Amino acid sequence: MSDQGKPALEVIQGQIKELDAIFKQASEDLNTVAASERVAKWKLRTIAVVAEHLSREDVKRFAETQPGPSFTNDFLEELSDEIEVYRNCLVSIAAKMKKQQEANPGPP
């Protein structure tokens, strides 16, 4: 993998870790309302952070990602579903980047 892509991948991995930490804290506090607010703030920060490292197309894709309706009556599960939507989008973008880097390796 080229060094040029490492910062972007590290940024994505860092944002995923932050998202996981939000869910972990929500699981411990059982405060899904506060966690939902943290997820909304996290998403806004993430859009700004990844905009510096990703293509306009990938930033738009992430920014437009929205969880679908959830009717489980289990707030923690609904939060988990919301988080999983964002996580899957970032993991998909990271996988695409890795594939591109492998296809176009930089200088040795």
Side-chain angles (χ1 to χ4, degrees):
M1 185 172 357
S2 71
D3 288 338
Q4 181 183 8
K6 273 190 178 178
L9 288 174
E10 288 173 5
V11 165
I12 291 172
Q13 291 168 347
Q15 294 308 111
I16 291 171
K17 285 180 184 177
E18 279 187 35
L19 193 57
D20 291 343
I22 291 170
F23 183 73
K24 181 180 179 196
Q25 184 176 356
S27 298
E28 292 169 359
D29 319 9
L30 297 176
N31 188 345
T32 56
V33 173
S36 291
E37 292 171 359
R38 285 192 297 272
V39 169
K41 290 176 184 176
W42 168 88
K43 184 178 180 187
L44 291 175
R45 273 193 329 273
T46 300
I47 291 169
V49 168
V50 298
E52 298 174 13
H53 299 280
L54 302 180
S55 70
R56 189 175 295 176
E57 173 188 306
D58 287 335
V59 173
K60 182 179 178 189
R61 178 176 156 205
F62 178 75
E64 292 176 352
T65 297
Q66 294 291 323
S70 184
F71 304 104
T72 65
N73 291 327
D74 179 340
F75 296 125
L76 196 56
E77 186 176 333
E78 290 176 12
L79 178 67
S80 174
D81 291 347
E82 177 183 5
I83 285 173
E84 202 59 32
V85 169
Y86 297 132
R87 172 185 250 290
N88 288 342
C89 183
L90 289 176
V91 167
S92 173
I93 291 169
K96 179 181 128 184
M97 290 175 65
K98 286 179 186 178
K99 188 175 181 178
Q100 289 173 344
Q101 289 175 355
E102 290 169 358
N104 302 315

